[in-house]
């Protein structure tokens, strides 16, 4: 059974960089057509797609975050990561990693449990 | 970006009754080359991540009970729960994946 698990600092200071990692188990990131994505959910709000990457490092970013966002993949560790620079209180959210069921133009069929990031 | 608007924001339905949630996209999410609507529905229970229920607007994900169904055309889509069960209490989200993925604001479903 595929599992995804987010790891991160919990608390980030304003103007600092948020770094999160998603570790995939029960399946390999490598050599597949799947894309792997980041989604966030501010407290009491809806879901916002952040960006996605495949094993080759091809990425798609939400245009509203693109200037601050970097998504990378480490196939040797079966992980992908998110870096968001210059964070503000508006970046406080529950951050999820998830798998697209096929390409980036596909729904998200496996999700991590999420990690809460507070910017303060 | 394609804006997804759900209605209502919250809904209370009696056990065993039908629940209907609507989702409207600001532009078409129909991909003409394969005639598929790039529209999904998710269920999110408290303290849990979203769970994929429906994709291609009407295809149930494996393991999803058949009381859940999706329909729609054009820019208007519907998620229907034919006979509400207590375990269906959740927030339901629609999502388009035709372009930069966007979600609706969510609909909270409760028991009346």
């Amino acid at each position: 059974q595929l599992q995804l698990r987010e790891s991160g600092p919990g608390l980030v200071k304003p103007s600092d960089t948020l770094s999160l990692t998603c570790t995939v188990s029960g399946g390999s990131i490598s050599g597949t057509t799947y894309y792997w994505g980041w989604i966030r959910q501010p407290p009491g709000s809806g879901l916002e797609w952040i960006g996605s990457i495949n094993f080759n490092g091809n990425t798609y970013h939400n245009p509203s975050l693109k200037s601050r966002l970097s998504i990378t993949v480490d196939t040797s560790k079966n992980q992908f990561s998110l870096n968001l620079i210059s964070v503000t209180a508006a970046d406080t959210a529950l951050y999820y990693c998830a798998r697209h069921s096929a390409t980036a133009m596909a729904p998200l069929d496996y999700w991590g449990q999420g990690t809460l990031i507070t910017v303060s | 970006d394609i804006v997804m608007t759900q209605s209502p924001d919250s809904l209370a339905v009696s056990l065993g009754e039908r629940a209907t949630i609507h989702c409207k996209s600001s532009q078409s999410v129909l991909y003409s080359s394969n005639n598929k609507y790039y529209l999904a529905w998710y269920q999110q229970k408290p303290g849990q991540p979203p769970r994929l229920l429906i994709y291609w607007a009407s295809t149930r994900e494996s393991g999803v009970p058949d009381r859940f169904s999706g329909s729609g055309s054009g820019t208007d889509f519907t998620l229907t729960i034919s006979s509400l069960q207590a375990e269906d209490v959740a927030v339901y989200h629609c999502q388009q994946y035709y372009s930069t993925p966007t979600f609706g604001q969510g609909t909270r479903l409760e028991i009346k």
Side-chain angles (χ1 to χ4, degrees):
Chain A
Q1 174 77 348
L2 191 73
Q3 292 187 321
L4 294 86
R5 179 170 51 86
E6 306 88 352
S7 56
L11 182 65
V12 183
K13 295 185 186 307
S15 78
D16 281 358
T17 296
L18 166 63
S19 297
L20 295 174
T21 295
C22 182
T23 301
V24 178
S25 58
S28 175
I29 287 181
S30 299
T32 65
T33 60
Y34 297 119
Y35 271 73
W36 305 85
W38 289 100
I39 302 93
R40 68 182 182 180
Q41 187 171 32
S45 293
L47 298 159
E48 179 184 31
W49 173 76
I50 299 170
S52 301
I53 192 167
N54 74 350
F55 80 101
N56 272 333
N58 297 315
T59 57
Y60 292 88
H61 294 159
N62 189 321
S64 69
L65 297 169
K66 189 172 183 176
S67 63
R68 298 194 292 131
L69 181 64
S70 171
I71 299 176
T72 57
V73 63
D74 186 339
T75 55
S76 68
K77 295 181 179 178
N78 225 30
Q79 294 176 336
F80 61 103
S81 298
L82 172 155
N83 271 11
L84 187 66
I85 67 170
S86 305
V87 297
T88 70
D91 295 309
T92 293
L94 188 55
Y95 284 75
Y96 294 103
C97 60
R99 188 191 80 168
H100 293 267
S101 61
T103 67
M105 291 177 71
L108 299 145
D109 59 354
Y110 285 90
W111 294 67
Q113 287 297 309
T115 187
L116 180 62
I117 299 298
T118 301
V119 179
S120 177
Chain B
D1 284 2
I2 298 176
V3 177
M4 308 299 290
T5 304
Q6 292 181 228
S7 60
D9 289 334
S10 63
L11 179 64
V13 174
S14 300
L15 290 172
E17 295 299 305
R18 179 185 300 262
T20 303
I21 298 170
H22 302 279
C23 178
K24 186 175 182 65
S25 58
S26 62
Q27 61 191 74
S28 175
V29 297
L30 175 66
Y31 200 44
S32 56
S33 66
N34 58 11
N35 203 37
K36 288 182 181 291
Y37 287 102
Y38 281 50
L39 189 285
W41 289 96
Y42 299 84
Q43 175 193 63
Q44 186 175 25
K45 297 182 179 180
Q48 295 186 19
R51 172 197 180 192
L52 179 63
L53 294 177
I54 303 282
Y55 57 96
W56 303 134
S58 61
T59 301
R60 261 190 310 275
E61 175 73 334
S62 175
V64 173
D66 61 6
R67 64 180 180 274
F68 290 90
S69 63
S71 63
S73 62
T75 59
D76 293 292
F77 302 91
T78 301
L79 174 70
T80 301
I81 307 171
S82 60
S83 176
L84 188 70
Q85 306 299 303
E87 62 264 32
D88 301 333
V89 169
V91 176
Y92 292 84
H93 307 270
C94 63
Q95 180 220 353
Q96 64 79 20
Y97 46 98
Y98 178 88
S99 64
T100 300
T102 50
F103 294 84
Q105 79 275 19
T107 294
R108 184 175 305 276
L109 177 59
E110 300 172 333
I111 305 294
K112 184 187 290 184

